[in-house]
């Protein structure tokens, strides 16, 4: 049907051909991360094919995002016109919501084909049954999924943790996804450097042997690390032995910090540095953020869907991801399963249509050319320090203004004097997505509004979200049973109209 490499290649090609130079990393000096949502659809002549033939599909990128930054708590705005979190995964998901809004508009107007068809309930829609969506990220999501075992005795493929890390955990000073440059450096694995560790054993031909952590076909074959269904009450560290007798001697660090109320990391040297299974917030430059890690957000989307609360007014069931594909980078199948699925696997009593999804998780062998390690490998030693790109790019498969380039949460080039004006809003900011939702609503006669909006008369962004009762009940159940320490913004940050 499709492979992880096909998804990665499609996304890399889309990045190269459809995204502008503006917002992309400066060559040999900057790096970024990439994420996207890909629509998978059987080909039109599939019905004529023989049943014994593999299913032929078309693959289309419908949203894409780049970025590595998020703003600190002090820069948040009650007007909803700033992007709090500009990590690639979040930009791609918000861009996907913009695509879904456009598709709902097509469905409601009955003018063009849409990905939605009428549901069984009055004035509600559901996804066409032959469609599915795959989420792609060029790098392991920050947070719990990035706490990956390192094995003894081999060369490091990319960005190792320096041995003095545990004694000098300076991640708090950076809002990057990875440690500062002087803490982790990409090195030539064939150079005569001091003994290093690496994630995956090498086969005799020198290629990385990904089966050290298992694959989708054969099932996980992970190091003996702690159980994947950990909760905040059961923190544990990565320990043990990997297949073949290799000792787990350290872990890749995540810059994401444990949220208040969670058991903290031990900070001990080596593999016990982190506790796994915990909720985490993204780090900021001195100013702490309120943005949950991408691992936590993906886990939430895997239960509540990617559509958010507003769109549930028009949908009979959530829009779930069928698969998550990760590009070539430090990776552990066990850590991904734990972070995205395992932490929520015992959540129950969800409203009808909601559930913990067994999302398929795979890794590609294709490296993103503007990832940190790819850029580092090409950069000459005298070219200075490598830094993350400060801009974020959003792209949606919509006919009007599909692109959006931002920096520090506002459209790139916004001045301090310009903040607060309509031109200083990202098209995927809360207030602009809310405006698109209201535009959809106004295009439909009131007698055809869903019951959730005809019974109540919401006015503010928060009131519209609260009126989506099934989504609200599902989120409440998830918080009570798995994510009790999730950071929630104060209500006055959602009172805009």
């Amino acid at each position: 049907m499709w492979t992880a490499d096909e998804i990665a290649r499609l996304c890399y090609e889309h990045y190269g051909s459809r995204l502008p130079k503006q917002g992309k990393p400066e060559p040999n000096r900057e790096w970024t991360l990439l994420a996207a949502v890909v629509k998978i659809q059987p080909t039109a002549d599939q019905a004529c094919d023989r049943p014994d033939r593999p299913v032929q599909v078309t693959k289309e990128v419908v949203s894409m995002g780049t970025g590595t930054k998020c703003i600190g708590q002090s820069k948040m705005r009650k007007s909803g016109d700033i992007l709090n979190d500009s990590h690639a995964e979040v930009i791609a998901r918000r861009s996907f919501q913009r695509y879904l809004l456009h598709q709902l508009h097509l469905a409601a107007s009955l003018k063009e084909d849409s990905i939605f068809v009428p549901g069984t309930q009055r004035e509600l829609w559901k996804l066409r049954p032959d469609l599915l969506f795959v989420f792609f990220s060029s790098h392991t999501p920050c947070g719990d999924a990035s706490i990956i075992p390192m094995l003894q005795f081999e060369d490091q493929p990319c960005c190792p943790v320096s041995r003095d890390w545990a004694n000098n955990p300076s991640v708090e000073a950076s809002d990057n996804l990875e440690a500062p440059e002087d803490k982790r450096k990409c090195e030539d694995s064939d150079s005569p450097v001091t003994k290093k560790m690496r994630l995956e054993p090498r086969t005799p031909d020198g290629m990385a042997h990904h089966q050290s952590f298992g694959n989708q076909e054969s099932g996980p074959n992970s190091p003996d690390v702690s159980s994947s269904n950990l909760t905040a009450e059961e923190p544990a560290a990565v320990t043990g032995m990997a297949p073949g007798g290799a000792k787990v001697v350290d872990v890749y660090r995540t810059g994401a910090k444990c949220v208040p109320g969670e058991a903290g990391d031990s900070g001990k040297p080596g593999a016990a540095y982190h506790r796994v299974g915990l909720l985490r917030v993204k780090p900021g430059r001195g100013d702490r953020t309120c943005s949950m890690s991408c691992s936590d957000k993906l886990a939430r989307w895997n239960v509540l869907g990617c559509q958010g609360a507003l769109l549930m007014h028009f949908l009979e069931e959530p829009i779930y991801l069928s698969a998550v594909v990760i590009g070539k980078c430090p990776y552990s199948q066990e850590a991904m399963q734990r972070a995205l699925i395992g932490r929520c696997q015992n959540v129950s009593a969800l409203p009808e249509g909601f559930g913990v999804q067994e999302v398929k998780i795979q890794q590609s062998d294709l490296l993103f050319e503007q990832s940190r390690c790819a850029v580092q490998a090409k950069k000459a030693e005298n070219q200075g320090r490598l830094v993350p790109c400060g801009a974020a790019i959003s792209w949606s498969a919509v006919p009007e203004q599909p692109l959006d380039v931002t920096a520090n949460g506002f459209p790139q080039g916004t001045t301090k004097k310009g903040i607060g004006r309509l031109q200083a809003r990202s098209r995927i900011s809360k207030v602009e997505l809310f405006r698109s939702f209201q535009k959809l609503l106004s295009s439909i006669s009131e007698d055809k509004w869903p019951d959730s909006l005809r019974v109540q008369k919401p006015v503010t962004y928060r009131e519209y979200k609260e009126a989506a009762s099934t989504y609200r009940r599902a989120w409440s159940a998830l918080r009570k049973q798995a994510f009790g320490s999730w950071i929630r913004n104060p209500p006055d940050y959602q009172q805009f109209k």
Side-chain angles (χ1 to χ4, degrees), residues 402-456:
L403 279 164
D404 193 61
V405 182
T406 55
N408 300 313
F410 294 111
Q412 197 170 45
T414 300
T415 62
K416 285 187 177 180
K417 187 179 287 188
I419 292 174
R421 297 176 181 172
L422 288 176
Q423 308 94 288
R425 294 177 176 178
S426 164
R427 297 182 185 97
I428 57 170
S429 62
K430 285 188 181 76
V431 69
E432 281 299 295
L433 288 177
F434 184 39
R435 191 175 69 87
S436 297
F437 173 82
Q438 290 173 312
K439 191 176 178 181
L440 168 65
L441 204 55
S442 64
S443 71
I444 304 170
S445 59
E446 195 167 334
D447 63 313
K448 292 187 176 180
W449 284 7
D451 292 341
S452 59
L453 294 176
R454 288 191 305 112
V455 175
Q456 304 180 54

Side-chain angles (χ1 to χ4, degrees), residues 70-82:
C70 54
I71 65 168
Q73 187 173 1
S74 66
K75 291 187 173 67
M76 293 171 60
R77 290 170 55 85
K78 296 178 181 180
S79 50
D81 60 355
I82 189 170

Side-chain angles (χ1 to χ4, degrees), residues 66-265:
T66 71
T68 66
K69 305 279 186 175
C70 54
I71 65 168
Q73 187 173 1
S74 66
K75 291 187 173 67
M76 293 171 60
R77 290 170 55 85
K78 296 178 181 180
S79 50
D81 60 355
I82 189 170
L83 293 176
N84 297 335
D85 188 342
S86 293
H87 282 209
E89 295 95 325
V90 177
I91 297 291
R93 185 256 186 164
R94 298 187 75 81
S95 305
F96 182 51
Q97 289 177 317
R98 193 175 173 216
Y99 165 78
L100 293 176
L101 274 163
H102 172 66
Q103 291 292 323
L104 276 170
H105 189 84
L106 293 179
S109 65
L110 303 175
K111 290 179 181 177
E112 298 180 48
D113 285 342
S114 168
I115 63 171
F116 294 110
V117 295
T120 57
Q121 299 177 46
R122 180 185 179 279
E123 308 305 340
L124 295 184
W125 302 86
K126 62 181 180 181
L127 190 67
R128 281 173 44 182
D130 60 334
L131 300 182
L132 57 87
F133 294 104
V134 174
F135 191 87
F136 173 77
S137 177
S138 64
H139 197 277
T140 306
C142 66
D144 197 53
S146 289
I147 304 174
I148 301 170
M150 281 183 176
L151 309 185
Q152 195 177 34
F153 76 70
E154 291 124 351
D155 292 333
Q156 181 69 31
C158 179
C159 303
V161 178
S162 63
R163 300 304 297 155
D164 66 342
W165 175 268
N167 300 320
N168 187 18
S170 60
V171 183
E172 195 68 62
S174 171
D175 58 359
N176 305 347
L177 290 184
E178 303 178 52
E181 180 70 12
D182 59 343
K183 293 296 177 187
R184 300 186 184 186
K185 295 182 180 179
C186 298
E187 301 176 80
D188 179 359
S189 62
D190 296 321
S191 63
V193 294
T194 54
K195 185 176 180 181
K196 303 181 295 291
M197 300 162 293
R198 80 175 199 88
L199 179 62
E200 299 162 339
R202 286 191 180 274
T203 55
D205 61 3
M207 296 299 291
H209 184 51
H210 291 272
Q211 296 229 316
S212 59
F213 287 119
N215 56 36
Q216 287 300 117
E217 287 70 32
S218 61
N221 185 20
S222 311
D224 181 19
V225 299
S226 51
S227 173
S228 64
N229 58 345
L230 289 167
T231 67
E233 290 71 39
E234 306 175 75
V238 176
T239 57
M241 303 289 288
K247 185 180 178 183
V248 176
V249 294
D250 207 341
V251 290
Y252 280 85
R253 308 294 201 265
T254 176
K257 302 295 182 182
C258 298
V259 301
E262 294 270 303
D265 289 319

